[in-house]
Amino acid sequence: MAMTGVLRPGHAQVRVLDLEESVKFYRDVLGLVETGRDAQGRVYFKCWDERDHNSYIIRQADSAGIDFFGFRVLDRATLDKLDADLQAYGLKTERIPAGELLETGERVRFELPSGHLIELYAEKKAVGNGIDLVNPAPWCAQREHGIGPVRLDHALLYGPNVAEVQKIFTEVLGFYLVERVLTPDGQGNAAIWLSCSHKVHDIAFAEYPEKGKLHHCSFLMETWEQVLRAGDIMSMNKVPVDIGPTRHGVTRGCTIYAWDPSGNRFETFMGGYQPYPDYETLTWTFDNFGQGLDYPQRKLHETFLTVVT
Ligand code: M3P
Ligand code: FE
């Protein structure tokens, strides 16, 4: 098997201000599938084409933002090895028992120098996507509900010490640097896009003075037309849109950024190219950050730099 180690983004747990209002939003406007609720009051969702029990979990709190972002790894041996590698690198790790998150195996959690909690896990119950494994249909009725993204694709996180975060992902977790935006003096990276796969990014970080901030969780759409349809549904439901529909220069992804009812930004996204680990990193100079963000308008939208939860 060619893909080993860290396989893919597996879950994000996000804080919301009003749980039931948020459930309506994520279920009926974004069109996620509700898969469970737990004793802590958390609500679990998956995208229609995801096969594991959950990928997006919300809990009610006094402030919006992200609690943690998790990656699925190949198997238990990989989990144990990555745990040991993280400790050998000098990071403290914590084991969270199986079942603490519904239908999810034991998780290894650690804190990045950016203040974000990252988790690795090897097991999550396969509930399927509602489509038969033999002679499967290309889609099912759940895809037609709300915006209907196919999967949780990536997150962009804001915090300090991006250079150290980059080292952990590339030297310990097996990610590679796909693209970066340089700082104004050209000496460091203001933002980095990292992949553990053939995707243009599985996680991204931008330098920011405050720790542990969420810029956005991104949901994959199948086509550009589906991104435009997402924009229609946002407007029909008076969802505040931040940027787009447009195309990022960075990653070439076609996008809309918008806000959930608590002010957490999310993205509906498609496209980009397909990098391999041997590809040379693409670099954007700071004066071209505007094109990187919004290629047609060449505009470094103020909200991109300043509005996070
Ligand atoms: C993305 C994304 C820049 C933003 C790029 C964003 C360069 O690629 O997926 O959100 O500002
Ligand atoms: Fe994104």
Side-chain angles (χ1 to χ4, degrees), residues 154-156 193 201 216 218 248 255 257 267 269:
H154 64 267
L156 170 56
W193 284 262
H201 52 343
H216 66 268
S218 185
H248 296 304
T255 177
Y257 285 154
E267 177 178 41
F269 157 92

Side-chain angles (χ1 to χ4, degrees), residues 156 158 181-182 184 190-191 193 206 215 242-243 246 248 250 257 284-306:
L156 170 56
Y158 272 35
V181 176
L182 297 176
W193 284 262
H215 188 276
D242 178 18
I243 300 175
T246 187
H248 296 304
V250 173
Y257 285 154
W284 296 77
T285 53
F286 195 82
D287 58 321
N288 275 256
F289 207 151
Q291 279 101 313
L293 177 59
D294 184 339
Y295 201 78
Q297 292 202 77
R298 301 184 301 281
K299 188 170 164 191
L300 186 48
H301 301 255
E302 176 68 17
T303 50
F304 181 82
L305 297 173
T306 56

Side-chain angles (χ1 to χ4, degrees), residues 41 198 236 261:
H198 196 27
M236 287 170 191

